[in-house]
């Protein structure tokens, strides 16, 4: 068990990378503490799996180093790194029983039979695999097989890190919920560092203490679910997390105050200074937008009912602005005015938050 | 309940297939059945013989010997070709320019007509002018496949291995290529190495293609005729007279239609039985 440090990591699948697009991982520099639960969140193709495979040793990075504690493991193969990984699709050794499947990683490392038995039974109990422990694994359903894969990942008690690569993709929704809670529980019991890769924000936010959001081969923000929600450091984080995502509106600065469609928008933290020539945008989450008597003039375009609240789509100087209105509150019909919560309104330059 | 509409006209659509199968399988088979229970002295005059020919064939030492040789031959070539085929398939590259080179090289022996294979090996193995025969004799080993039964067997088996191992290789290679990468990655992380990967991942995943490969190789080798006929003609003596060679000798050489027909039916039933046993054994435990 140890801290994981990724230093100046870059990776390309092209033999001689030239321009930016050749890099699957552009620049990753992170430090993950021992025993944490981390989620790697991002859309397909953003480099999550590449990063995971570099940590597990299935890939050697083109540039940069991987440290487990103070040990440089960059060029060590997976079996020497003492890690566990669970894949997107269940991997089950068909000819073995459930028990033998779970015991396989231990037996390969020459663990004494008595210890193998104790650990396998403990994991089987945690994952509710005790019934049919001595049946052939081949006959199980997809979620049963994935439980075995999870079990093989969790069965070794001394691993540096356990990595999950979208492990619940093939699982039915109601079981997904169960297994996810189970994993969270196991994290408390086992106490190993866990890294969970997913493109599903709910999965990431419910599982992890810290979420690492990736976009086009870079880490755009690392933070708690609340930080990601309230202070997205990049417009991508704003879009990607939350439903509906953050409103992003092009704006100008006049005397340090952002203007949208010629109207000033008050900010919580003082006058803004932007680098010259940068593309400026204003970001505010639908949760922090309200109808008001005074403020930005908008046209109401569409109202959709989402149960406890309505999602209202409005148009502000040609830009779409979404807001959430609680059930029962009155809705203006056509023209209305909006106010943004100054404490939760951010300004972005070229995508990155400046205020 | 919905009443099913019955339309007897559907039979017309099946008719062409029924006719085709009748003419190329059922009618010839029935002719054989017909011969197997009758005796003829020519002139298209037949006498009822009952199961007499069957009794005669089943009790004949000649048939026993040929059957034994046949089983031994099939067993030997399976024991060589299956492990060798798997080994070659494992050694073949999965990616890169060498894949197509390997595949073409592997497919080459399969494309050569059987009688040509026999003729090639006949010349290749001749002790005085053949490359192989001369080389073996040059090593100081007395080798002459036209005179020594062991040399004849050795040459026949070697020829079959050369000709047909490729089939096992290609099937296994296809099977190996279809194993998802995640299995190998999981195995690496689980700390499995060489033999464990083969035993617990590759071999189980190859089960189906191996079943097919073994069945095909068994049936082909059990019916082998052309290659040993061209190579050794069943000799020296009867050393390489396999069932089908013996059958042709009886049917066309001696023109004993009755015994030959009885023998082919017995032969057919043995093949059917062995295939069924193989298949059941290999698929056991599959349905659960």
């Amino acid at each position: 068990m140890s801290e994981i440090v990724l230093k100046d990591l870059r990776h390309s699948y092209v033999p001689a990378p030239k321009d930016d697009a050749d890099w699957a991982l552009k620049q990753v520099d992170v430090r993950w503490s021992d025993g944490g639960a981390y989620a790697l969140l991002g859309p397909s193709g953003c480099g999550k799996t590449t990063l995971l495979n570099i940590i597990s040793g299935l890939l050697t990075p083109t540039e940069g180093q991987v440290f487990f504690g103070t040990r440089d493991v960059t060029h060590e193969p997976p079996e020497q790194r003492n890690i566990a990984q669970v894949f997107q699709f269940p991997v089950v050794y068909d000819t073995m029983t459930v028990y033998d499947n779970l015991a396989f990683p231990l037996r390969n490392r020459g663990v004494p039979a008595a210890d193998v038995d104790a650990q396998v039974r403990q994991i089987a109990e945690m994952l509710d695999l005790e019934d049919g422990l001595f049946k052939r694994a081949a006959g199980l359903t997809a979620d049963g097989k994935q439980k075995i894969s999870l079990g093989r990942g969790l069965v070794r008690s001394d691993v540096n890190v356990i990595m999950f690569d979208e492990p619940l993709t093939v699982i039915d929704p109601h079981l997904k919920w169960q297994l996810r809670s189970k994993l969270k529980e196991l994290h408390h019991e086992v106490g190993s560092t866990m890294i969970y890769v997913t493109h599903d924000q709910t999965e990431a936010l419910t599982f992890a203490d810290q979420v690492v959001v990736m976009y086009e081969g870079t880490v755009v923000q690392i933070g708690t679910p609340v930080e990601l929600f309230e202070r997205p450091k990049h417009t991508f984080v704003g879009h990607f997390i939350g439903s509906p995502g953050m409103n992003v509106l092009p704006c100008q600065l006049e005397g340090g105050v952002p203007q949208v469609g010629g109207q000033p928008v008050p900010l919580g933290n003082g006058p803004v200074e932007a680098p010259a020539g940068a593309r400026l945008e204003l970001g505010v989450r639908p949760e922090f937008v309200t109808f008001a008597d005074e403020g930005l003039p908008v046209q109401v375009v569409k109202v959709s009912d989402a149960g406890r609240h309505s999602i209202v789509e409005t148009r502000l100087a040609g830009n779409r602005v979404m807001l959430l209105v609680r059930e029962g509150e009155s809705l203006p019909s056509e023209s209305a005015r909006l106010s943004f919560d100054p404490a939760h309104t951010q300004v972005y330059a070229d995508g990155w938050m400046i205020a | 309940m919905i009443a099913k509409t019955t339309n007897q006209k559907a039979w017309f659509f099946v008719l062409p297939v029924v006719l085709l199968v009748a003419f190329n399988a059922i009618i010839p088979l029935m002719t054989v059945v017909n011969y197997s229970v009758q005796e003829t002295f020519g002139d298209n005059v037949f006498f009822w013989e009952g199961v007499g020919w069957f009794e005669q064939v089943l009790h004949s030492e000649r048939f026993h010997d040929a059957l034994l040789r046949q089983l031994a031959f099939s067993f030997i070539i399976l024991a060589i070709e299956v492990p060798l085929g798997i080994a070659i398939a494992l050694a073949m590259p999965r990616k890169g320019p060498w894949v197509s080179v390997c595949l073409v090289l592997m497919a080459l022996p399969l494309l050569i007509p059987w009688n040509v294979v026999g003729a090639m090996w006949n010349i290749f193995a001749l002790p005085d002018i053949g490359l192989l025969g001369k080389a073996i004799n040059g090593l100081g080993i007395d080798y002459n496949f036209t005179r020594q039964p062991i040399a004849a067997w050795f040459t026949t088996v070697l020829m079959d291995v050369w000709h047909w191992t490729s089939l096992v290789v290609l099937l296994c290679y296809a099977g190996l290529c279809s194993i998802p990468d995640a299995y190998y990655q999981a195995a690496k992380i689980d700390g499995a190495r060489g033999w464990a990967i083969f035993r617990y991942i590759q071999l189980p995943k190859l089960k189906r293609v191996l079943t097919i490969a073994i069945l095909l190789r068994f049936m082909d080798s059990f019916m082998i005729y052309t290659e040993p006929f061209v190579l050794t003609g069943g000799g020296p003596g009867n050393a390489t007279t396999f069932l089908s060679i013996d059958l042709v000798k009886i049917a066309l050489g001696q023109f004993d239609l009755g015994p030959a027909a009885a023998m082919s039916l017995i032969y057919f039933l043995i093949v059917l039985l062995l295939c069924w046993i193989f298949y059941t054994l290999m698929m056991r435990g599959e349905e659960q």
Side-chain angles (χ1 to χ4, degrees), chain A residues 24-55:
Chain A
L25 275 187
K26 295 207 178 79
Q27 171 80 28
V28 175
D29 245 313
V30 285
R31 181 178 287 270
W32 286 326
S33 57
D34 183 21
Y38 296 93
L40 275 178
L41 177 65
S44 301
C46 72
K48 296 172 301 213
T49 302
T50 306
L51 185 57
L52 204 68
N53 287 344
I54 287 174
I55 300 172

Side-chain angles (χ1 to χ4, degrees), chain A residues 53 56 58 78-79 83-85 87 90-96 104-105 108-109 136 139 152 156, chain B residues 182-193 196-197 199-201 204-205 207 284-286 288:
Chain A
N53 287 344
S56 64
L58 293 170
E79 58 269 24
I83 41 110
Q85 187 168 358
F87 298 89
V91 173
V92 160
Y93 304 113
D94 294 335
T95 49
M96 296 188 207
F104 194 56
N108 282 327
R109 287 173 173 80
R136 284 245 294 214
R152 277 208 322 275
R156 284 183 290 138
Chain B
Y183 278 87
Y184 293 112
Q185 296 182 337
K188 262 192 196 171
I189 282 161
D190 288 339
R193 264 164 239 224
I197 291 179
R199 167 71 186 78
Y200 296 114
I201 296 175
K205 296 277 168 205
K207 191 174 163 188
R284 193 183 47 183
E286 193 76 1
Q288 270 179 23

